[in-house]
Amino acid sequence: MCEIFMSADPALWQAESRSLRLGGVSTSLRLERMFWSVLEEIATRDRLSLAQLITKLYDELCESRPEVGNFTSFLRVCCTRYLSLQLTGTIPTDRRLPLRGIPVHH
């Protein structure tokens, strides 16, 4: 089983930091390159820059929760959930289709 995962390009799990403003504060987020790639795909689908997408996710999370907690972990879960929902057919795999407007099922 490990060979399935070990055959991945090591560059995918290499951590990379990016700087942006969240809640009016300059900050740096450190994620593995694979997560940055998935976030960029999500942003592109809705015609947002990566910074706009992350800001939108942060703002919506702050509105829905009294405490944000570990935001980078939240972003990793967003990426994993996005890929999982594509596998189940809940989110179309056609990258030209925006995610906005897709009904949310819990």
Side-chain angles (χ1 to χ4, degrees):
M1 178 174 99
C2 195
E3 288 181 31
I4 293 169
F5 304 109
M6 293 299 296
S7 63
D9 181 354
L12 293 174
W13 71 72
Q14 194 168 52
E16 186 175 299
S17 295
R18 303 210 187 168
S19 298
L20 58 124
R21 294 184 70 78
L22 291 176
V25 177
S26 291
T27 190
S28 180
L29 298 175
R30 187 170 176 85
L31 292 168
E32 294 74 17
R33 285 185 180 164
M34 184 168 185
F35 291 113
W36 287 119
S37 176
V38 173
L39 289 169
E40 287 168 355
E41 179 178 316
I42 295 169
T44 299
R45 286 184 76 150
D46 277 342
R47 293 182 172 82
L48 299 170
S49 70
L50 183 58
Q52 288 172 322
L53 171 68
I54 291 173
T55 299
K56 182 175 180 58
L57 290 171
Y58 181 80
D59 291 345
E60 289 179 5
L61 183 61
C62 287
E63 288 174 17
S64 69
R65 305 254 189 297
E67 188 176 314
V68 171
N70 188 334
F71 185 61
T72 54
S73 290
F74 172 76
L75 291 175
R76 287 183 186 93
V77 170
C78 288
C79 292
T80 306
R81 184 161 163 75
Y82 169 75
L83 295 172
S84 175
L85 291 171
Q86 281 187 323
L87 288 173
T88 63
T90 305
I91 291 177
T93 56
D94 185 346
R95 294 179 183 175
R96 295 170 298 173
L97 298 174
L99 296 179
R100 254 181 250 135
I102 292 176
V104 178
H105 302 288
H106 299 279

